[in-house]
Structures are given as C-alpha cells and as structure tokens.
C-alpha cells in the first residue's frame, strides 16, 4: 500500500537502484535515475519529491554538485536529502552535512538502519509543513 510520498534516488549503480526500489517501491512512489543530469531535469519539470537519495561518486555529476544545485533551487530547498554512498570517510560526511544533506548512510545497505533514516526524514518533513497530526 502506497502512502502518497515521492522519493527520487540517484545512483550510477543499477543494482543499488533495484535494491532501493525493492525497499521503497511498494510503500512510496519511487523514481530512480542513473544520471544526475536526468534527475535534475525531472526535478525541474515535476513537483518536488518528499525525499531525495543521492550517491556521492557518480560519473556525470557528483552528489556534492547535485546537492548544491538542489539547495539553490527555491522549490527544492526544503526537500530532505539523504546521501547513500560507499564512502564513509569523516571528511565526506562533514562535507555532505555542511553542504545541506539531512543524513548520511553507507553501502552496503543495512535495511533496518536505512529505512529508519528514510522514515525519520519523511516524518521531519511532515512536521515542518505542519502536517504532524495528519
């Protein structure tokens, strides 16, 4: 059963995107992109999603650049961003959070921890919008 929330994920790994679709696709409207520029085009043309999941290391445009573009778009500024990456170096975590990411998860995906982060970010967004009693 879907709850009406929309999640956009950008990762150059088809395997990761399939895993995310399996974890999120039954509950949420899920859109997966292997190319950052295609995802940005989608984000420009469609209503803002409720959550964006980004990898850091991608070919066309990296996650940090994409995060900066997202945070500079007025209609996307408040959308929670979760980094999902194999890079867990402290400097990357600090750069992600200081750049405007809301949370950071590492690969391989620990389903319970990852889903907890997703639910928390979606709940926080709901509260910011004043929908916490819905």
């Amino acid at each position: 059963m879907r709850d009406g929330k929309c999640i956009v994920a950008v990762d150059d790994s088809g395997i990761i995107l399939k895993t995310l679709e399996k974890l999120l696709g039954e509950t949420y409207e899920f859109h997966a992109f292997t190319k950052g520029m295609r995802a940005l085009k989608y984000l420009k043309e469609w209503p803002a999603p409720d959550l964006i999941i980004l990898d850091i290391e991608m070919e066309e445009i990296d996650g940090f650049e994409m995060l900066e573009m997202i945070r500079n778009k007025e209609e996307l500024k408040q959308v929670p961003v979760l980094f999902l990456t194999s890079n867990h170096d402290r400097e990357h975590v600090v750069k992600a959070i200081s750049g405007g990411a809301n949370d950071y998860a590492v690969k391989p995906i620990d389903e319970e921890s990852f889903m907890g982060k997703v639910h928390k970010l979606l709940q926080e967004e709901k509260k910011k919008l004043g929908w916490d009693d819905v």
Side-chain angles (χ1 to χ4, degrees):
M1 181 173 92
R2 294 195 178 200
D3 84 344
K5 299 274 187 203
C6 177
I7 297 175
V8 169
V10 188
D11 196 306
D12 56 359
S13 168
I15 293 168
I16 293 296
L17 291 174
K18 287 284 185 199
T19 301
L20 292 176
E21 184 174 18
K22 181 181 168 200
L23 289 172
L24 303 168
E26 286 187 29
T27 307
Y28 307 106
E29 180 182 334
F30 181 75
H31 300 275
F33 298 90
T34 57
K35 304 273 189 212
M37 296 309 283
R38 287 184 89 187
L40 286 169
K41 185 176 186 325
Y42 172 87
L43 291 168
K44 182 188 274 188
E45 296 173 357
W46 292 91
D50 299 289
L51 175 64
I52 299 171
I53 300 170
L54 297 176
D55 187 12
I56 289 179
E57 297 170 15
M58 297 183 288
E59 292 178 21
E60 196 176 54
I61 178 174
D62 74 27
F64 295 124
E65 293 170 305
M66 191 157 177
L67 177 63
E68 183 178 349
M69 290 177 186
I70 288 167
R71 290 299 179 233
N72 285 326
K73 279 189 71 57
E74 192 60 41
E75 59 273 14
L76 298 175
K77 277 184 179 180
Q78 298 302 314
V79 175
V81 174
L82 170 62
F83 269 112
L84 175 62
T85 182
S86 55
N87 193 327
H88 54 55
D89 294 338
R90 179 171 160 51
E91 66 187 55
H92 280 91
V93 176
V94 169
K95 185 175 179 180
I97 300 301
S98 65
N102 299 80
D103 208 341
Y104 196 99
V106 294
K107 300 173 191 172
I109 298 170
D110 174 296
E111 288 184 27
E112 187 175 332
S113 172
F114 177 77
M115 292 305 291
K117 290 175 185 283
V118 167
H119 293 308
K120 180 177 177 255
L121 289 171
L122 290 173
Q123 283 300 115
E124 286 174 2
E125 180 63 12
K126 198 163 119 175
K127 285 179 185 175
K128 269 197 283 186
L129 297 172
W131 297 348
D132 52 338
D133 57 344
V134 176

